[in-house]
Amino acid sequence: MARTWLHLTSSFLIVCCVIGFLISTVVAENHQRPPTVLPLSLSSRNHSLHRHVDNLRRRLFQSKLSGSTPNARLRLYDDLLSNGYHTARLRIGSPPQEFALIVDTGSTVTYVPCSSCSHCGNHQDSRFQPEMSSTYQPVKCNPSCNCDDEQKQCTYHRRYAEMSSSSGVLGEDLVSFGNESELMPQRAVFGCENVETGDLYNQRADGIMGLGRGRLSIMDQLVDKGVIGDSFSLCYGGMDVDGGAMVLGKIAPPPDMVFSHSDPFRSPYYNIEMKEIHVAGKRLELPDGAFDGRHGTVLDSGTTYAYFRRDAFAAFRDAILSAVHFLKRIPGPDPNYNDICFTGAGRDVSQLPKIFPQVEMVFNNGKKLLLSPENYLFRHSKASGAYCLGIFPNSESTTLLGGIVVRNTLVTYDRSNDRIGFLNTNCSELRRRVQFSGAPAPTPLVSPSKDTKMEIPSVLSPSGSPSNVLPGSFHVGFITFDMSISTTDSNLKSILKELTELISEELEVDNSQIRLLNVTSQEKDYLVRWGIFPAEPANYISNTIARSIILRLRDHRIQLPERFGNYKLMEWNAEPQRKLTSWQHRFLIMLVGSVTTLILSLSAIGIWLVHRQRQQTAYEPVGASIPERYLQPLQS
């Protein structure tokens, strides 16, 4: 009996192994995993009368719009202090060409380097190629613009206070705002840059996204089309946190948001009415109008730090020095500047409010905006636990508030109501909400008369990959990429967990779509393989999202904080969605049926054997009496 059960068990195990091998073979076929700028100085005339007429016309038009106007939601990238700016990713043309543009409320034109540029630096992305866009049109010379030497095309020219400049021609094309945006791609006029000088030539960003007041501003163009409300919002990440979020269009102001009046006729820049400043609860002793100079108090997202009138700066500096007299003064990170720096505060940013004083900006209407230490300090780049004052004296009477003042602050430029609102908030959390809002990816509006297939050309393909990565009905099943990391942090598990979150943000996918596939190490050098999979319940990654991911991997646009040490993207690979063939479907059906039949048969045999065994005569115990019929003698 034991041998019978041994044979049955062995047979069953063999059948299970064969079935497991066949199933794994089929599954394997379907899931292979291969290895200090200052505000823009306007060069064109921008009279207050023109602004007044434009403002009245725009308000009349906006009053007729419904409340369901969509917004353009965009993530912000780069670190304010390391780069000096934040950028947004904008796509121009058909098929779209992507650019990293500095978010600048002090600029009135959006521009990118043109393929014909005679003097442009090496930036983050390739130059715009008008000839590659089926929807591009040059803006022809007309009485309302400056024209080129041949009097054929409109031109632009912008100068900045730090002596950089940009000039080129004006063109019109489709502008799209990313996968998270509700707003469909729109036609807009932008600058195709032919010459750039100064810091613009040397910066990593491709160009500038102009959000200021002016007919060429991307905001004014979208508002005039009636596709968004006359408002936009910016939210910059805090100290040591890059990026943030931006919304073009109206949002419902949070109940705790404080507003200041903004006068569009006083200045071409966005200004607020700041009356006074309090440090550690005490008002700075300044004459009336100290913050009401030439342009008033100006908000400029394209400026890194803040600049006060000289007497206001001296009073603010002295108040801070008095409050932190127990901290040691040290030289700044750049010997060319006389920065005011302190050491001994520790590296934990969350503890800074216990050491540095609270600062309040008071508006003319009596409302107050609280500034935490990260809103007026920046981290010393060469001394651990040291910080420097991010407020500097201005040679002019204008008070200028750059990005540092509004870190972790939602700022709403409510242009339709001539006011600007402020709300202290966690901009990193807001950025995540913007990223995963669930908005459908907009479909580019293209001319039906031309070839508009959005295919990635062969130059984008990694070695060993098909040259045409997204042809026709090609569906991406998953994407893999390798990353080399050199770090001194021994807690690899914690690093990889944080990396997963950061990579998902950089590639604009959900955390659940990023999976760690493999890790190999040699001392402190690691080679990590990541996989990007479809979001549930989809079984493939859409071409639009896959294309965006591939472009960012190709151009090494995953940007991680410096604390991760040295890192580099090695190679990527896009695998198509695998589908079972008809014979594989039939084979699996037959296989499942055979397994079910086999299991039922073995169960029935086992039950029958147990039942039969129980029916047999039991063994007699030792010493029992033997019936006489078994004791008859043998016959001779």
Side-chain angles (χ1 to χ4, degrees):
M1 184 63 200
R3 280 196 297 270
T4 302
W5 275 108
L6 180 61
H7 289 311
L8 286 172
T9 303
S10 301
S11 302
F12 182 73
L13 290 175
I14 292 173
V15 170
C16 289
C17 290
V18 172
I19 293 171
F21 174 77
L22 291 173
I23 292 176
S24 63
T25 302
V26 175
V27 172
E29 286 186 9
N30 295 277
H31 296 281
Q32 293 179 5
R33 293 182 179 174
T36 58
V37 301
L38 296 178
L40 181 68
S41 176
L42 302 177
S43 60
S44 60
R45 295 190 302 273
N46 194 359
H47 302 298
S48 61
L49 177 60
H50 292 163
R51 292 200 303 273
H52 180 67
V53 173
D54 287 345
N55 200 44
L56 290 176
R57 174 183 54 80
R58 189 170 294 120
R59 287 185 181 182
L60 180 62
F61 182 76
Q62 286 279 309
S63 66
K64 300 177 182 179
L65 294 178
S66 66
S68 58
T69 307
N71 293 332
R73 297 188 293 264
L74 298 93
R75 289 181 56 212
L76 298 181
Y77 299 84
D78 300 302
D79 179 79
L80 180 66
L81 272 298
S82 299
N83 302 93
Y85 50 73
H86 284 306
T87 60
R89 303 259 168 84
L90 218 60
R91 299 167 175 86
I92 303 175
S94 305
Q97 303 172 46
E98 188 173 8
F99 302 94
L101 305 182
I102 296 174
V103 175
D104 190 0
T105 59
S107 182
T108 57
V109 64
T110 296
Y111 54 81
V112 297
C114 210
S115 58
S116 58
C117 185
S118 60
H119 191 265
C120 288
N122 294 321
H123 302 298
Q124 182 169 328
D125 299 281
S126 302
R127 298 175 183 179
F128 178 70
Q129 302 179 61
E131 66 278 3
M132 297 298 292
S133 174
S134 62
T135 48
Y136 174 82
Q137 290 181 350
V139 177
K140 295 181 180 180
C141 184
N142 63 76
S144 64
C145 74
N146 297 320
C147 300
D148 58 14
D149 294 338
E150 299 178 355
Q151 299 296 304
K152 291 183 177 180
Q153 191 168 356
C154 290
T155 63
Y156 78 96
H157 179 73
R158 292 293 184 271
R159 292 182 294 106
Y160 291 85
E162 88 287 0
M163 303 307 293
S164 63
S165 66
S166 172
S167 60
V169 297
L170 294 178
E172 185 183 46
D173 209 335
L174 282 175
V175 175
S176 51
F177 305 92
N179 299 332
E180 284 73 44
S181 178
E182 296 174 338
L183 184 62
M184 301 292 289
Q186 302 292 328
R187 294 198 68 86
V189 175
F190 66 98
C192 203
E193 199 175 39
N194 285 327
V195 175
E196 58 185 15
T197 64
D199 289 345
L200 294 177
Y201 182 87
N202 297 314
Q203 70 189 13
R204 183 170 180 268
D206 301 310
I208 282 182
M209 181 178 180
L211 297 171
R213 295 188 179 105
R215 293 184 177 182
L216 289 179
S217 164
I218 189 68
M219 270 301 301
D220 283 58
Q221 292 187 64
L222 295 175
V223 170
D224 287 343
K225 287 176 177 290
V227 295
I228 63 171
D230 196 6
S231 175
F232 68 93
S233 301
L234 294 173
C235 202
Y236 287 178
M239 186 180 290
D240 300 333
V241 180
D242 62 346
M246 175 170 66
V247 178
L248 303 183
K250 288 194 173 184
I251 62 172
D256 296 334
M257 179 169 275
V258 296
F259 287 91
S260 170
H261 177 68
S262 182
D263 188 352
F265 309 115
R266 176 178 183 175
S267 165
Y269 310 116
Y270 296 108
N271 54 69
I272 58 175
E273 296 177 342
M274 189 164 73
K275 182 179 181 181
E276 55 194 33
I277 289 182
H278 298 174
V279 177
K282 296 181 179 180
R283 175 182 175 272
L284 296 184
E285 295 298 329
L286 293 168
D288 292 340
F291 303 103
D292 195 29
R294 179 184 174 193
H295 294 289
T297 296
V298 172
L299 288 174
D300 181 24
S301 64
T303 296
T304 307
Y305 303 105
Y307 298 83
F308 289 176
R309 200 175 78 175
R310 290 189 181 278
D311 58 342
F313 164 75
F316 183 82
R317 175 200 60 199
D318 293 344
I320 297 296
L321 290 175
S322 175
V324 294
H325 60 87
F326 51 89
L327 293 179
K328 180 182 178 182
R329 289 277 303 274
I330 61 172
D334 190 336
N336 296 317
Y337 297 95
N338 187 26
D339 290 331
I340 300 171
C341 302
F342 317 87
T343 187
R347 292 190 55 82
D348 190 351
V349 176
S350 66
Q351 299 302 307
L352 293 184
K354 298 179 181 179
I355 302 171
F356 289 92
Q358 186 179 96
V359 174
E360 290 177 313
M361 289 176 15
V362 184
F363 304 135
N364 280 3
N365 57 12
K367 301 293 184 179
K368 297 179 181 179
L369 174 64
L370 173 66
L371 301 183
S372 68
E374 69 176 352
N375 296 123
Y376 61 84
L377 297 174
F378 65 93
R379 191 185 289 279
H380 197 297
S381 60
K382 297 181 180 179
S384 178
Y387 302 87
C388 304
L389 201 61
I391 313 292
F392 301 95
N394 194 356
S395 58
E396 296 185 0
S397 61
T398 297
T399 299
L400 181 64
L401 305 181
I404 190 174
V405 176
V406 291
R407 290 198 288 198
N408 270 340
T409 305
L410 175 64
V411 183
T412 295
Y413 297 76
D414 187 357
R415 309 188 336 161
S416 60
N417 293 305
D418 293 338
R419 62 179 187 170
I420 296 177
F422 303 86
L423 177 71
N424 299 126
T425 188
N426 186 329
C427 289
S428 298
E429 179 61 30
L430 178 63
R431 165 172 154 164
R432 281 190 286 271
R433 291 205 302 270
V434 168
Q435 177 184 358
F436 302 124
S437 59
T443 303
L445 305 176
V446 293
S447 171
S449 61
K450 297 186 179 181
D451 183 9
T452 59
K453 289 184 180 178
M454 301 174 67
E455 297 179 354
I456 296 183
S458 58
V459 295
L460 305 187
S461 304
S463 58
S465 294
S467 60
N468 194 1
V469 179
L470 300 177
S473 60
F474 183 101
H475 287 164
V476 177
F478 61 94
I479 299 171
T480 62
F481 67 95
D482 294 339
M483 174 187 288
S484 65
I485 305 174
S486 297
T487 179
T488 57
D489 195 330
S490 59
N491 190 355
L492 181 62
K493 184 177 180 180
S494 175
I495 291 177
L496 294 177
K497 181 180 179 181
E498 189 174 0
L499 273 176
T500 302
E501 297 177 355
L502 290 171
I503 290 172
S504 70
E505 291 183 6
E506 290 294 307
L507 297 180
E508 299 185 15
V509 297
D510 194 275
N511 279 1
S512 62
Q513 295 180 245
I514 304 293
R515 301 177 194 172
L516 178 64
L517 302 182
N518 188 35
V519 179
T520 57
S521 63
Q522 184 176 2
E523 295 182 352
K524 294 298 182 180
D525 296 329
Y526 301 93
L527 181 63
V528 186
R529 173 160 295 172
W530 305 90
I532 309 167
F533 293 85
E536 296 292 342
N539 56 7
Y540 65 89
I541 304 173
S542 72
N543 281 6
T544 302
I545 296 176
R547 183 177 297 103
S548 174
I549 293 172
I550 290 171
L551 286 173
R552 289 170 188 176
L553 292 175
R554 182 206 69 169
D555 296 335
H556 300 271
R557 276 193 247 142
I558 294 182
Q559 301 173 27
L560 304 178
E562 294 182 359
R563 63 180 179 275
F564 287 101
N566 298 321
Y567 63 93
K568 182 180 180 182
L569 296 179
M570 306 298 289
E571 65 174 24
W572 58 266
N573 207 329
E575 282 294 308
Q577 179 193 15
R578 302 289 184 174
K579 295 183 179 180
L580 295 177
T581 61
S582 59
W583 74 265
Q584 288 175 329
H585 276 290
R586 290 194 297 271
F587 176 76
L588 281 178
I589 292 172
M590 293 174 60
L591 191 61
V592 171
S594 300
V595 170
T596 303
T597 302
L598 181 61
I599 292 175
L600 292 174
S601 300
L602 290 174
S603 300
I605 293 173
I607 293 171
W608 178 78
L609 289 174
V610 170
H611 177 73
R612 180 186 176 189
Q613 179 64 23
R614 289 179 177 176
Q615 296 300 318
Q616 291 180 354
T617 303
Y619 292 103
E620 297 293 342
V622 177
S625 58
I626 300 174
E628 290 184 357
R629 63 178 178 272
Y630 294 116
L631 298 178
Q632 293 178 358
L634 294 174
Q635 295 179 359
S636 56

